[in-house]
Amino acid sequence: MSLTHIQSFVAVAEECHVGRAARRLHLTQPPLSRHILALEDELGAPLFERTGRGMRLLPAGEAFLIHARRILAEVDAAVHTVRGVAGSRTDG
């Protein structure tokens, strides 16, 4: 599972639409759809219901969204911490 797959999942979950999520991520729809399918395959469960008007989270997707957001927040916090430590070493 890659961060790209997790970011893709969160974008589709928030937008409820692959096209809008693709624009948000500066991707085209086919690679974004592949990210979602790969993630579902790896997790062994469908995360979305594909509807005529977009995508709707299934219960497994709702559960994963909580963890996915937490994972991305932790990665952001780690980057911020490392940059702060690195910055304090070059300031002194």
Side-chain angles (χ1 to χ4, degrees):
M1 180 178 315
S2 73
L3 286 177
T4 301
H5 289 166
I6 295 170
Q7 291 166 330
S8 296
F9 166 76
V10 170
V12 173
E14 291 176 352
E15 298 292 339
C16 299
H17 193 275
V18 175
R20 287 191 298 268
R23 281 190 295 279
R24 172 174 152 181
L25 296 170
H26 307 288
L27 294 172
T28 58
Q29 289 183 23
L32 180 56
S33 293
R34 285 193 296 273
H35 294 170
I36 298 303
L37 290 171
L39 184 60
E40 289 176 323
D41 186 54
E42 185 169 349
L43 292 171
L47 301 172
F48 294 97
E49 176 183 354
R50 279 80 173 160
T51 69
R53 305 189 82 177
M55 307 277 273
R56 185 172 58 206
L57 280 173
L58 292 170
E62 291 175 11
F64 187 67
L65 182 59
I66 294 164
H67 294 282
R69 286 180 170 150
R70 192 176 310 142
I71 290 164
L72 295 177
E74 285 294 325
V75 169
D76 286 343
V79 168
H80 180 74
T81 298
V82 169
R83 288 181 179 161
V85 170
S88 68
R89 293 178 131 219
T90 59
D91 291 341

